Amino acid sequence: MTAGVDLGPKTQAIGSDEDVVRVRQLVRTVAVAAKLSLVDQTKLVTAASELARNTLIYGGGGTAEVTVVEDGRRRGVRIVFADSGPGIADLDLALTDGYTTGGGLGLGLSGSRRLVDDFDIRTAPGEGTRITVTKWSR
């Protein structure tokens, strides 16, 4: 454990652009404390930024819970993004490279999935979205 840094779960509300920045900062702090490499820190922060923005824009806001996890062999950082928005009507389409509903590059979900080691998404129309990502130390 890293001295002076609480590695317990931390939750950040996502309701504004400033909160998206706070999520990035929180994820960076926890990734450093978990001793992820600089490359893995950057990948995780990038994915978290995309997913936090999606939570804000498409989910109408929500939360990000950041936790240090261990599986006996390695340590990692898990982030759960949750919203109570409209959900994703066509998940396969939403996970396709280049797909966008917001005029962006369309790399949010698919790009985020490639940047992390574990990616799980639970969504249904009218029931919100819950995305869990984990980046493990090497």
Side-chain angles (χ1 to χ4, degrees), residues 62-91:
T63 59
E65 182 179 83
V66 185
T67 308
V68 174
V69 292
E70 295 188 35
D71 72 356
R73 299 176 292 131
R74 58 193 175 166
R75 179 181 277 185
V77 177
R78 176 168 296 140
I79 313 167
V80 179
F81 295 89
D83 67 60
S84 298
I88 301 171
D90 187 338
L91 184 56

Side-chain angles (χ1 to χ4, degrees), residues 49-123:
S49 181
E50 288 290 322
L51 295 171
R53 186 151 304 286
N54 282 0
T55 299
L56 177 63
I57 294 171
Y58 301 111
T63 59
E65 182 179 83
V66 185
T67 308
V68 174
V69 292
E70 295 188 35
D71 72 356
R73 299 176 292 131
R74 58 193 175 166
R75 179 181 277 185
V77 177
R78 176 168 296 140
I79 313 167
V80 179
F81 295 89
D83 67 60
S84 298
I88 301 171
D90 187 338
L91 184 56
D92 290 336
L93 183 60
L95 286 167
T96 302
D97 283 348
Y99 175 76
T100 181
T101 59
L105 295 176
L107 296 176
L109 287 180
S110 61
S112 295
R113 181 169 59 176
R114 282 192 303 273
L115 290 170
V116 298
D117 299 314
D118 300 327
F119 183 97
D120 180 68
I121 184 166
R122 310 282 167 147
T123 187

